[in-house]
Amino acid sequence: MDLFLFFTALFLATLRLATPLVFASLGGMISERSGIINIALESFMLMGAFVGAVAAHYSEHAWIGWMAAFLGGLAIAAVYAFFVIELRADQIITGMAFNLLAMGLIPFFSKILFNSTGSTPSLPLESRFSFEPLLVAALLVLALSWWLKNTRSGLWLLFAGENPQALLASGVSVKKVRWAAVTLSGGFAAWGGASLSLYLASSYSPLMTGGRGFMALASLIFGKWRPVPTFLACLLFALADAIQIRLQGVQINGTEIPVQFIQILPYIVTIIALAGFIGTSRPPKALGKEL
Amino acid sequence: MKRLIGLFVGLFIALLITFFAGENPFHIFSILIKSAFGSMYDLGLTLSYTTPLIFCGLSVAVSFHAGLFNVGAEGQLTMAAITAAAVGILFPQVPFPFAPILAFTAALFVGGFWGFIPGWLRAVRGSHEVIITIMLNFIAAGTANWLALKVIPNLNSQNPETAMVSNNYLFKDYDLIARIFPDTPANASFGVAIFIAVLMWIIIWKTTFGFELRAMGANSEAAQRAGISKNKILVLSMIISGMLAGGVALSEVLGSAGQYRVGFSPDYGFIGIAVALLANNNPIGVIFAAFLMGALHKGAADLDMETTTITRDFSRIIQAFIILGVAGQAYWEHLRTSRIRKN
Amino acid sequence: MNGNPIIEFQGVSISFGDISANSEVSFSVSAGTIHGIIGENGAGKSTAMNILFGLYLADQGKVLIKGKPVRFQSSIDAMNEKIGMVHQHFMLAETLTALDNILLYQKGSAFSILRRDEQKKHLEAIAKRFGFEIDFDAKISELSVGAQQRLEILKILSQDSEILILDEPTAVLTPQEVQDLFCNLQKLKSEGKTILIITHKLKEVMSLTDSVTVFRAGKVITTKVTSESNLAELAELMVGHRLVTPQERSTAADSSQTVLRVSNLNAQMNSSKIHDINFHVHGKEIVGIAGVEGNGQDILVRSLIDKQGLNKKNFSGEVSVSGTMVSFPEDRLRFGCLPSRPVWENFFLGQQGLAKFNWGPFIRKTEILKSTKRAIENYDIRPTNEFLPFEKLSGGNQQKLVVARALSQNPHFILAAQPTRGVDIGAIHFIHNELRAARDHGAGVLLISSELDELMTLSDRILVLYKGRFIAEFHRENFSEITIGAAMGGVEVITKNAEFL
């Protein structure tokens, strides 16, 4: 019975912890399926976490924070899209610059708003979520995988990443499709960040994403750029995270496992997953290539 | 030249942002300049930032030449620094000239190993080095924290740091640069960094290995056809990259602090990306770019105290915009070279 | 034959920078005919067709469709006027199904739902009417090249196009597939469609077209009724001067020396495979490998020069080369050069291990520059600037540099894969002569080419690769386009003097 409780708790924790990863990796999926590498996911998440927490703090309403996070994500991703689509800047270098930018801009705004570069004010229970983001994430997985299979714009997205010349020849603007995909990916990744600050925690704290943007990319690769397998990959990484939290303070033969070692578990799992399975994973053909 | 335009555009946008925070951008700019070069003390601090940035800039530049993107310099320098401290604490009896050499060699070895992992995974499994190195940064931070706090902690202090290394490991008494800039962490490793930069310039541009490395970066398929082993270049370039980042152990642990302090690096590894880009991956250019970024970083640290709204994180904004300014230049290049097909 | 002109070009000119691609191009095409557009590489035939299809905008002149002047801003405008084009490189997404590749071209709003079953029935009806059978549920990567081409044509037919432009449609087809294609095109003509076919293969022009327009150096030389012309005349119009017939070889293969021996080679990479490959190349001998592209040439090349990327378990057999080996890569920009780097570094690439260019771990730049200059001079590479980035050279000069680099090493064995692809006719002659000269000096050459003419002029023996196997061998005295062509299409020919190994 104890074991049953343990596993149920672990399972629920996994689902909770998977939420931010699922949003971010779905965002990454539509961006990369359109042919644009998205190393900037981490910065979109940070932005979403911060904007969400700030908006929820002032409005005292979680859903307003949620929508604000989405808009914030759209905005920063639009700037990213401008650089990589219009200015043809290197996608990986630009992505890393955005991660730096988010790490710099957020304390900057935080200082102006709260006169502190640390965490945002803690949110009361009523302006936080109890389960909703998890539900939204699950619905988003289903909706995206249906959309990708059954709609014309889903087909456009696939062509933008597989053979943009063909899409162009059919009379659809590849640039527009990529702009839409990248900005939307910002919105989704920002929801991932907001589910950290409004759902898993009760405020924004500096660098709270802790590399989840990169884990989302790893799940995307692991899930072969497809919605449902990507979702399952997110669950795997979230499980590692949940075990990590469970193991903290646990004693084995009277000695405690150093917390630092437990904390690096998800990162090790990510490396193993990426190194062990990438051979079978094929990215979209035009990924990262210029038009 | 184009790089300088990118730099100015980036700096301009970053300063513009301060305007929206209610600051006077000219005032901010003058603080940046004054705090970087205002006095010997300021200059010493700027140089002390410059040294690790030369190492990290070289690290990123070498990986770029081979067609890789090493964003793991941060993890590599962390592992190297904790290694240098650990050697200095665990083997106190080693006599002087050998002690720092031993610690530095160990640091380079571990830094190189931390670069080897992503290089090897890329070579044999095709895993993308950016994601792997980011993960390794977290793993390095966790491992170093554990060592610093649990294995070799400083028992006399509340700060998260290791004990002091044995005196045999420090070269303060022979350090000319440290004497010029007293009371600052600037030290002889600045000279070592410049020496290594020149060495890297020779390796990259004047040796057969350097040619093979650049050929791999320019066109990996053609390089392989020409008989250059892709795996060898991927692995070696990442090892060299890791060792270069590991050079930070010399300036930060053996040259100045004498211990490993948790969080000692203000993300030198990431600033190294801006340094390498600004220098167009030229090792000699890295020296100047590192000095510039070091000055900006020093300036940004002082903004924290001199203004009400600007914090030390402003340094990141400047770095990001400079990278974007340089990366965005690709567009002008493209406009220049592409034929305009439609009127 | 003098029906209503459906297409008219009137004094159309276009230039890219300083280069005039089309000047004063005028010709017309009658409705319901098959019209050939012929010319050498770079003669301006594709440019003119791209203007017709809306990909380029003419600087001057007029294009009329059914007597009405048009000015297409994009291919969409052209498609709205019922013009369709099949490009040389198919515009298909390999990982998606045939059906999805056609559905892409149907109009509809972004969020409209794709009714795949309904559309499939509709398309199958069209396919049946014109005799194009395709498995609509198969992924593109599972379809043969011929089927992919049928799909491209079907894509145009499904939009009710009346004018079809085909750019070098037979380049990638087997002789049998070419027959089928021509048969289908005749059927389309009888349905009233107008077909323009860009090609440089004159025999196809003679057998298929009703009339033909000849391009040379950006200008239209003439338009002729095919039945009133002949092969020799068209060839002369196209080239502008009579071609020199290739000289017969004077020396015989040196059978005492074997420079390449391949035994029981089996290899696999991605979808490409070769089985049971056994052959050898002697000194003073050119051995040609014929075959339609995609029958294992790429993996064969890989097995011979770089086994990296080939898993040990995917590779078995023995390859032995005696003496120095060099290669011309089949795709020079991809495999043969560092595009952004200067000419001298590109000359050095592949020779970086040679003692004369090294001093310990250092490169001897002055030596390399000296050799580069010599090669530039000897091979007449222009512009004569060893510091220019490789990508700034023209295709012919790039290939000359690749050849110069390889031959300056006095090789015993030369692997020449597609040595003249995409280069002008002057460079082709030059490269052929260099290969003959190298052979006469004792080198053995393995020539892999998709141009049967090239193989037949140069080779002493031709091996035919089909689906990863050698299915036939021909000696020079037995060369015939018909039998080799049949073998390329999979017809096994047992020749009397077949002597594998």
Side-chain angles (χ1 to χ4, degrees):
Chain A
M1 199 56 206
D2 250 8
L3 212 59
F4 174 74
L5 277 178
F6 172 79
F7 278 112
T8 312
L10 192 66
F11 176 69
L12 291 176
T14 301
L15 284 183
R16 278 166 55 86
L17 289 165
T19 315
L21 280 178
V22 170
F23 280 118
S25 60
L26 289 180
M29 186 193 74
I30 49 175
S31 166
E32 300 221 331
R33 275 267 157 145
S34 84
I36 302 289
I37 299 174
N38 206 333
I39 297 272
L41 279 182
E42 182 89 357
S43 67
F44 300 167
M45 287 183 83
L46 273 175
M47 211 58 175
F50 178 69
V51 172
V54 170
H57 169 73
Y58 284 114
S59 68
E60 296 176 356
H61 211 293
W63 284 109
I64 291 179
W66 189 249
M67 289 326 289
F70 189 76
L71 294 178
L74 288 188
I76 187 172
V79 183
Y80 178 71
F82 175 74
F83 268 92
V84 297
I85 301 172
E86 298 299 331
L87 296 188
R88 296 160 184 265
D90 184 286
Q91 295 171 6
I92 292 180
I93 292 172
T94 307
M96 284 313 296
F98 267 73
N99 293 334
L100 271 177
L101 191 62
M103 285 197 272
L105 279 181
I106 290 171
F108 177 78
F109 287 123
S110 178
K111 177 85 177 176
I112 295 174
L113 292 172
F114 306 111
N115 197 26
S116 135
T117 57
S119 303
T120 58
S122 185
L123 296 166
L125 214 53
E126 34 319 341
S127 35
R128 285 162 52 193
F129 288 117
S130 46
F131 66 94
E132 296 88 337
L134 178 57
L135 201 63
V136 178
L139 288 176
L140 198 61
V141 173
L142 297 176
L144 272 183
S145 72
W146 182 86
W147 167 74
L148 212 50
K149 269 201 199 97
N150 293 301
T151 68
R152 192 165 299 280
S153 46
L155 197 61
W156 292 347
L157 185 79
L158 297 185
F159 269 90
E162 291 290 339
N163 191 341
Q165 274 75 26
L167 184 62
L168 209 57
S170 78
V172 178
S173 161
V174 177
K175 269 193 182 177
K176 278 185 195 157
V177 171
R178 289 185 170 174
W179 262 93
V182 172
T183 43
L184 214 56
S185 89
F188 290 158
W191 272 350
S195 34
L196 280 171
S197 62
L198 301 178
Y199 172 48
L200 298 182
S202 58
S203 69
Y204 168 84
S205 53
L207 309 182
M208 75 187 309
T209 47
R212 281 187 176 83
F214 293 94
M215 285 187 198
L217 278 178
S219 357
L220 189 58
I221 296 169
F222 200 41
K224 300 180 182 180
W225 287 267
R226 292 203 307 257
V228 174
T230 300
F231 172 72
L232 296 177
C234 289
L235 286 184
L236 172 75
F237 294 138
L239 176 67
D241 210 3
I243 291 174
Q244 175 258 120
I245 293 169
R246 277 271 140 172
L247 281 181
Q248 290 191 18
V250 169
Q251 301 205 334
I252 293 176
N253 296 337
T255 50
E256 201 172 297
I257 311 167
V259 65
Q260 291 88 354
F261 281 152
I262 297 170
Q263 280 169 343
I264 62 180
L265 183 69
Y267 305 113
I268 294 176
V269 170
T270 306
I271 291 182
I272 293 172
L274 210 51
F277 296 91
I278 189 147
T280 57
S281 190
R282 195 195 63 87
K285 226 175 185 163
L287 183 61
K289 299 210 175 86
E290 269 183 20
L291 209 51
Chain B
M1 195 57 218
K2 288 200 307 272
R3 310 262 152 185
L4 281 182
I5 296 171
L7 166 74
F8 288 125
V9 170
L11 199 57
F12 177 76
I13 295 175
L15 287 173
L16 206 61
I17 285 183
T18 64
F19 177 73
F20 293 111
E23 299 285 344
N24 179 349
F26 295 103
H27 178 58
I28 301 281
F29 187 67
S30 73
I31 296 176
L32 279 179
I33 298 296
K34 215 188 300 168
S35 86
F37 311 110
S39 66
M40 277 314 255
Y41 175 74
D42 287 323
L43 191 60
L45 278 176
T46 299
L47 285 187
S48 76
Y49 287 126
T50 303
T51 312
L53 288 181
I54 294 177
F55 284 121
C56 292
L58 290 173
S59 167
V60 178
V62 166
S63 72
F64 270 136
H65 273 296
L68 296 165
F69 188 19
N70 178 24
V71 287
E74 190 63 26
Q76 291 145 13
L77 72 88
T78 302
M79 290 308 287
I82 191 73
T83 304
V87 170
I89 294 161
L90 298 176
F91 306 102
Q93 309 88 346
V94 182
F96 168 68
F98 304 108
I101 295 173
L102 172 74
F104 190 46
T105 312
L108 292 186
F109 183 82
V110 172
F113 176 71
W114 220 245
F116 163 79
I117 300 170
W120 182 73
L121 287 177
R122 174 71 193 249
V124 299
R125 304 295 315 174
S127 321
H128 201 289
E129 76 277 4
V130 169
I131 300 178
I132 299 285
T133 46
I134 290 276
M135 295 297 129
L136 282 172
N137 286 349
F138 286 106
I139 295 173
T143 312
N145 280 359
W146 170 70
L147 285 166
L149 304 179
K150 293 281 154 63
V151 183
I152 44 172
N154 188 353
L155 300 172
N156 307 321
S157 162
Q158 291 296 313
N159 293 330
E161 58 194 28
T162 66
M164 295 297 289
V165 299
S166 145
N167 256 328
N168 300 346
Y169 283 84
L170 304 175
F171 47 84
K172 273 194 193 105
D173 301 341
Y174 306 89
D175 194 330
L176 292 175
I177 293 178
R179 264 182 239 169
I180 301 173
F181 303 101
D183 307 321
T184 73
N187 60 72
S189 53
F190 179 64
V192 177
I194 290 179
F195 172 75
I196 292 180
V198 174
L199 189 70
M200 288 317 297
W201 183 82
I202 294 171
I203 291 177
I204 288 174
W205 292 102
K206 298 290 162 195
T207 68
T208 314
F209 171 74
F211 175 77
E212 293 185 342
L213 187 107
R214 289 184 297 112
M216 191 58 67
N219 184 349
S220 74
E221 286 184 300
Q224 288 180 70
R225 281 288 175 93
I228 301 168
S229 159
K230 183 178 182 179
N231 290 358
K232 181 185 118 185
I233 297 291
L234 287 182
V235 172
L236 275 181
S237 63
M238 282 306 287
I239 290 178
I240 293 171
S241 230
M243 286 171 73
L244 286 167
V248 173
L250 185 71
S251 70
E252 302 301 291
V253 177
L254 302 173
S256 53
Q259 63 183 167
Y260 175 91
R261 296 179 183 145
V262 172
F264 78 91
S265 160
D267 282 349
Y268 285 131
F270 289 100
I271 311 177
I273 301 168
V275 171
L277 280 175
L278 210 51
N280 196 12
N281 305 321
N282 182 326
I284 304 296
V286 161
I287 300 172
F288 297 98
F291 183 68
L292 199 80
M293 295 305 291
L296 288 174
H297 189 73
K298 161 76 171 63
D302 283 2
L303 284 178
D304 213 340
M305 289 169 271
E306 303 244 355
T307 68
T308 48
T309 49
I310 312 298
T311 67
R312 55 175 53 248
D313 297 295
F314 186 65
S315 168
R316 289 211 174 101
I317 300 182
I318 297 179
Q319 289 150 24
F321 276 113
I322 289 177
I323 297 177
L324 290 176
V326 177
Q329 303 267 319
Y331 180 62
W332 307 113
E333 189 77 0
H334 167 78
L335 273 193
R336 211 161 50 80
T337 53
S338 75
R339 293 192 213 134
I340 294 152
R341 290 209 163 131
K342 297 204 173 193
N343 315 15
Chain C
M1 287 307 295
N2 295 323
N4 291 338
I6 187 165
I7 302 164
E8 275 179 276
F9 271 62
Q10 295 182 350
V12 173
S13 300
I14 185 172
S15 53
F16 303 121
D18 306 334
I19 303 150
S20 168
N22 274 179
S23 74
E24 297 285 321
V25 165
S26 302
F27 67 94
S28 62
V29 178
S30 305
T33 62
I34 299 182
H35 189 98
I37 304 285
I38 64 169
E40 290 187 280
N41 284 330
K45 52 192 195 303
S46 291
T47 309
M49 290 303 106
N50 283 335
I51 291 173
L52 177 59
F53 190 52
L55 294 176
Y56 298 153
L57 205 54
D59 296 336
Q60 276 170 17
K62 272 197 288 193
V63 178
L64 286 79
I65 304 292
K66 293 180 186 164
K68 188 179 73 173
V70 291
R71 197 164 165 78
F72 299 141
Q73 302 290 332
S74 73
S75 55
I76 310 306
D77 294 350
M79 288 195 279
N80 289 337
E81 287 290 331
K82 300 198 179 301
I83 300 174
M85 182 162 178
V86 176
H87 299 270
Q88 214 174 336
H89 300 285
F90 300 148
M91 297 244 183
L92 301 168
E94 288 198 351
T95 47
L96 303 177
T97 63
L99 183 63
D100 282 353
N101 272 282
I102 290 196
L103 286 184
L104 177 67
Y105 285 80
Q106 295 184 340
K107 300 275 169 284
S109 75
F111 292 100
S112 55
I113 291 164
L114 302 167
R115 296 198 173 78
R116 286 203 173 80
D117 293 337
E118 213 171 281
Q119 290 299 334
K120 194 174 143 190
K121 267 184 206 141
H122 170 67
L123 287 167
E124 273 168 348
I126 300 177
K128 206 170 174 193
R129 187 172 133 213
F130 294 107
F132 290 80
E133 293 130 63
I134 294 165
D135 176 4
F136 285 103
D137 295 323
K139 284 188 179 154
I140 298 301
S141 55
E142 297 160 5
L143 294 177
S144 71
V145 181
Q148 290 180 24
Q149 192 175 52
R150 289 199 291 277
L151 185 66
E152 283 280 9
I153 296 173
L154 197 63
K155 206 152 86 179
I156 296 170
L157 296 175
S158 72
Q159 295 164 67
D160 289 327
S161 292
E162 288 170 4
I163 300 169
L164 276 76
I165 309 168
L166 306 175
D167 190 356
E168 300 280 1
T170 59
V172 289
L173 301 182
T174 63
Q176 185 54 46
E177 283 175 321
V178 171
Q179 285 297 316
D180 293 345
L181 174 69
F182 286 4
C183 206
N184 282 325
L185 292 180
Q186 296 289 2
K187 216 177 286 172
L188 291 177
K189 178 180 142 188
S190 66
E191 293 258 346
K193 311 275 185 199
T194 307
I195 297 161
L196 282 87
I197 174 165
I198 307 174
T199 183
H200 63 268
K201 295 185 180 163
L202 296 174
K203 283 176 199 146
E204 293 173 359
V205 173
M206 294 307 295
S207 69
L208 180 69
T209 63
D210 300 309
S211 53
V212 55
T213 297
V214 185
F215 275 72
R216 191 169 78 215
K219 297 190 173 82
V220 168
I221 300 301
T222 183
T223 299
K224 292 227 154 210
V225 174
T226 312
S227 56
E228 294 167 5
S229 184
N230 59 54
L231 251 168
E233 185 193 21
L234 287 179
E236 198 186 335
L237 286 169
M238 201 165 98
V239 182
H241 56 85
R242 289 217 170 268
L243 283 168
V244 200
T245 44
Q247 67 269 43
E248 273 302 309
R249 63 168 304 178
S250 48
T251 53
D254 179 2
S255 50
S256 66
Q257 246 194 344
T258 303
V259 293
L260 172 75
R261 183 176 289 279
V262 174
S263 353
N264 301 320
L265 177 66
N266 287 282
Q268 179 175 8
M269 183 183 61
N270 303 331
S271 56
S272 182
K273 280 183 204 168
I274 42 176
H275 319 274
D276 309 323
I277 297 292
N278 287 294
F279 71 103
H280 60 264
V281 178
H282 289 309
K284 293 194 175 183
E285 182 184 39
I286 299 180
V287 176
I289 304 272
V292 175
E293 261 176 80
N295 276 293
Q297 288 94 333
D298 50 347
I299 181 89
L300 178 62
V301 169
R302 277 227 152 179
S303 311
L304 296 184
I305 48 179
D306 96 273
K307 290 175 208 70
Q308 292 177 16
L310 285 180
N311 241 321
K312 278 220 177 69
K313 65 173 186 235
N314 289 337
F315 179 91
S316 69
E318 227 177 292
V319 175
S320 66
V321 177
S322 58
T324 316
M325 166 181 173
V326 296
S327 64
F328 311 163
E330 62 275 28
D331 180 342
R332 66 179 165 270
L333 281 178
R334 194 170 150 204
F335 298 117
C337 74
L338 314 172
S340 58
R341 307 299 312 163
V343 164
W344 74 267
E345 283 192 6
N346 277 282
F347 183 78
F348 184 44
L349 182 72
Q351 307 193 58
Q352 70 274 6
L354 298 187
K356 63 173 174 175
F357 292 138
N358 286 289
W359 182 71
F362 299 102
I363 55 175
R364 295 174 67 179
K365 194 171 164 186
T366 44
E367 281 302 313
I368 302 166
L369 286 176
K370 220 187 284 171
S371 294
T372 311
K373 271 187 193 145
R374 207 178 309 132
I376 286 176
E377 209 168 287
N378 293 345
Y379 286 75
D380 191 26
I381 294 164
R382 283 180 234 181
T384 54
N385 178 357
E386 63 270 32
F387 297 104
L388 202 70
F390 184 82
E391 61 198 354
K392 304 272 187 218
L393 298 177
S394 72
N397 283 306
Q398 288 179 349
Q399 188 68 7
K400 277 186 190 174
L401 183 73
V402 169
V403 172
R405 175 175 75 193
L407 297 185
S408 69
Q409 300 176 46
N410 294 321
H412 299 94
F413 171 58
I414 301 163
L415 173 62
Q418 313 291 0
T420 57
R421 174 172 288 173
V423 306
D424 55 279
I425 202 148
I428 291 177
H429 277 293
F430 186 86
I431 290 165
H432 283 180
N433 285 334
E434 287 299 323
L435 279 174
R436 286 195 192 96
R439 174 202 62 194
D440 291 343
H441 280 100
V445 180
L446 184 67
L447 174 67
I448 300 176
S449 175
S450 54
E451 297 284 333
L452 196 48
D453 289 348
E454 176 170 74
L455 287 166
M456 288 172 54
T457 27
L458 287 176
S459 311
D460 299 303
R461 281 187 291 143
I462 291 179
L463 299 166
V464 181
L465 196 59
Y466 179 75
K467 291 195 173 165
R469 289 175 201 278
F470 281 142
I471 64 162
E473 176 172 14
F474 299 91
H475 281 235
R476 195 173 175 85
E477 55 275 19
N478 299 334
F479 283 178
S480 120
E481 198 161 327
I482 296 163
T483 46
I484 298 177
M488 284 164 67
V491 181
E492 291 208 34
V493 188
I494 293 131
T495 49
K496 253 189 284 175
N497 36 16
E499 42 164 62
F500 288 88
L501 198 74

